[in-house]
């Protein structure tokens, strides 16, 4: 493989730029030609493809979002769309592709590979940490720290006014941001989609906390909790707990932006370099990830067949320390 392309697809996440930089510079280090494909599979189909060199990725390591931009692309679900995409690559002699995105983007890459023989390697980029095959995704740590910063600020005002604060954080399919930010932020309670939420338990826990002398509490809610959003849960609790005054804050898309943390930049750098090496080795159909301290390559299917799960021990830790 002498010529490769790199694209970002699906939802953006902080650290994608650090990933693009790592791919471009690693490839150039090995004397390869690199193309940047703008707007994911949409740009691929349209031929929005530009050569990239080491200087084109200067000054982006600290920037959130993705300089290549990203998109969702309906046509890529169809064989005809993928055929056009493959032709755009072949026209330029691009034999390998690094796809930075989530499991949906890998499904597209897998189809492109099996139908047209383009070698594809994935890098996990999403704030939700909801991709199997890796302990962490690029962007999760930054989003977690943004959520934590919000929790810290809300705690200041909660304590000053003896109030209950609900903080709704991102996480439609899992409670990673919620659980980690709740532990790090010293929250009283956390509600995540992985465990069934009991409003009764929450009410009892808050009443007990009050009896132990706690006059303010922070409750973290993952947006995808099966019991509903933070506002719905807060209303139900207020009807039954001793805490009548409460405030709900939805952090929302603030969690998607911002300068990536050192953790995310280093993760992106390691995975980007590995992705390029994998293409040099002639590998395909794999995603890069971390397993403990190691950078690993796993089949794309791990992304959707092995949903990343947090250890139930975190829930216990949370409960014990909220005393
Ligand atoms: P993510 O990669 O973050 O999971 P999406 O699920 O939105 O994001 O997928 C991004 C893009 O990948 C889609 O807009 C589509 O172009 C492509 N894609 C997703 N699933 C498939 C599939 N089953 N077959 C072909 N392409 C797909």
């Amino acid at each position: 493989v002498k010529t490769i392309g790199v694209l970002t697809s699906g939802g953006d996440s902080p650290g994608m730029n650090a990933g693009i930089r790592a791919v471009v510079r690693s490839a150039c280090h090995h004397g390869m030609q690199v193309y940047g494909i703008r707007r994911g599979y949409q740009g691929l189909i349209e031929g929005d493809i530009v050569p990239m060199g080491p200087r084109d990725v200067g000054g982006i390591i600290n920037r959130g979002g993705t300089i290549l931009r990203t998109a969702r692309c309906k046509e890529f679900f169809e064989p005809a769309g993928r055929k056009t995409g493959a032709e755009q690559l072949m026209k330029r002699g691009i034999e390998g592709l690094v796809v930075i995105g989530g499991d949906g983007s890998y499904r597209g890459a897998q189809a492109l590979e099996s139908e047209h023989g383009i070698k594809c390697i994935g890098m996990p980029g999403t704030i939700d940490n909801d991709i199997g095959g890796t302990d962490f995704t690029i962007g999760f740590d930054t989003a977690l720290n943004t959520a934590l910063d919000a929790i810290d600020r809300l705690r200041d005002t909660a304590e000053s006014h003896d109030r209950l604060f609900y903080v709704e954080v991102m996480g439609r399919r899992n409670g990673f941001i919620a659980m980690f930010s709740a532990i790090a932020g010293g929250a009283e309670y956390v509600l995540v989609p992985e465990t069934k939420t009991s409003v009764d338990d929450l009410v009892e826990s808050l009443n007990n906390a009050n009896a132990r002398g706690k006059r303010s509490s922070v409750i973290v809610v993952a947006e995808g909790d099966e019991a509903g959003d933070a506002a719905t849960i807060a209303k139900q609790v207020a009807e039954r707990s001793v805490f009548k005054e409460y405030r709900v804050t939805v952090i929302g898309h603030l969690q998607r932006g911002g300068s990536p943390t050192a953790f995310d930049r280093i993760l992106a750098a390691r995975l980007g370099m590995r992705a390029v090496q994998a293409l040099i080795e002639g590998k395909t159909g794999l995603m890069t990830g971390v397993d403990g301290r190691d950078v690993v390559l796993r089949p794309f299917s791990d992304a959707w067949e092995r949903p990343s799960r947090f250890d139930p021990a975190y829930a216990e830790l949370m409960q014990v320390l909220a005393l």
Side-chain angles (χ1 to χ4, degrees):
V1 177
K2 292 259 177 341
T3 305
I4 66 167
V6 56
L7 60 79
T8 49
S9 170
D12 66 300
S13 71
M16 280 184 160
N17 281 328
I20 295 166
R21 172 182 179 270
V23 169
V24 170
R25 291 200 174 163
S26 299
C28 291
H29 170 79
H30 290 288
M32 298 162 102
Q33 162 92 52
V34 195
Y35 284 90
I37 298 151
R38 296 200 188 105
R39 293 179 295 117
Y41 295 129
Q42 192 64 45
L44 174 61
I45 290 172
E46 292 169 16
D48 194 355
I49 301 172
V50 288
M52 288 182 97
R55 296 285 72 74
D56 296 312
V57 290
I60 66 168
I61 195 167
N62 55 332
R63 281 165 60 190
T66 158
I67 59 159
L68 289 175
R69 302 171 59 208
T70 181
R72 296 204 161 83
C73 172
K74 272 203 202 117
E75 289 148 275
F76 213 72
F77 284 93
E78 307 301 327
R82 295 193 291 269
K83 184 163 180 284
T84 311
E87 283 165 2
Q88 293 286 9
L89 293 173
M90 289 169 192
K91 211 157 72 180
R92 294 167 176 85
I94 302 172
E95 306 152 280
L97 191 61
V98 177
V99 174
I100 309 176
D103 54 324
S105 301
Y106 300 163
R107 284 180 198 269
Q110 195 171 50
L112 186 70
E113 194 240 311
S114 65
E115 292 162 3
H116 303 284
I118 306 288
K119 294 198 180 339
C120 293
I121 299 290
M123 285 170 62
T126 164
I127 64 163
D128 288 331
N129 210 34
D130 60 355
I131 301 177
T134 184
D135 291 347
F136 293 106
T137 59
I138 299 163
F140 166 67
D141 186 65
T142 304
L144 165 62
N145 278 284
T146 303
L148 178 60
D149 181 57
I151 291 169
D152 285 346
R153 286 163 195 269
L154 291 167
R155 171 186 288 289
D156 289 347
T157 168
E159 283 171 2
S160 304
H161 288 281
D162 292 355
R163 258 182 203 147
L164 213 50
F165 261 92
Y166 290 83
V167 188
E168 186 178 299
V169 301
M170 278 187 166
R172 266 176 313 202
R173 296 193 289 187
N174 75 36
F176 262 99
I177 295 178
M179 184 60 83
F180 278 47
S181 65
I183 293 171
E188 181 63 35
Y189 213 91
V190 63
L191 305 174
V192 293
E194 287 87 346
T195 55
K196 189 151 170 33
T197 295
S198 159
V199 173
D200 289 337
D201 274 0
L202 176 53
V203 169
E204 194 188 316
S205 162
L206 289 172
N207 288 345
N208 289 342
N210 184 257
R212 292 197 307 275
K214 278 198 178 183
R215 289 188 311 277
S216 67
S217 283
V218 174
I219 296 152
V220 180
V221 183
E223 65 179 335
D225 191 69
E226 79 295 338
D229 60 11
T232 310
I233 294 165
K235 199 157 170 277
Q236 290 171 15
V237 172
E239 284 160 10
R240 288 142 64 186
S241 86
V242 290
F243 293 94
K244 297 296 171 206
E245 275 254 32
Y246 68 87
R247 294 287 184 274
V248 177
T249 302
V250 179
I251 314 176
H253 277 77
L254 290 172
Q255 290 160 97
R256 284 276 277 271
S259 182
T261 58
F263 183 93
D264 277 331
R265 296 182 202 190
I266 293 165
L267 179 62
R270 294 175 79 201
L271 300 189
M273 194 165 106
R274 187 68 188 94
V276 171
Q277 280 166 351
L279 287 173
I280 291 170
E281 291 159 10
K283 296 195 162 82
T284 181
L286 304 171
M287 60 171 279
T288 56
V290 275
D291 182 353
R293 290 186 189 188
D294 302 325
V295 173
V296 293
L297 292 170
R298 301 271 189 247
F300 277 146
S301 55
D302 273 21
W304 52 86
E305 281 168 12
R306 294 174 182 253
S308 91
R309 287 208 185 88
F310 61 72
D311 192 336
Y314 286 127
E316 196 195 332
L317 176 67
M318 168 83 221
Q319 217 171 6
V320 170
L321 299 188
L323 188 68

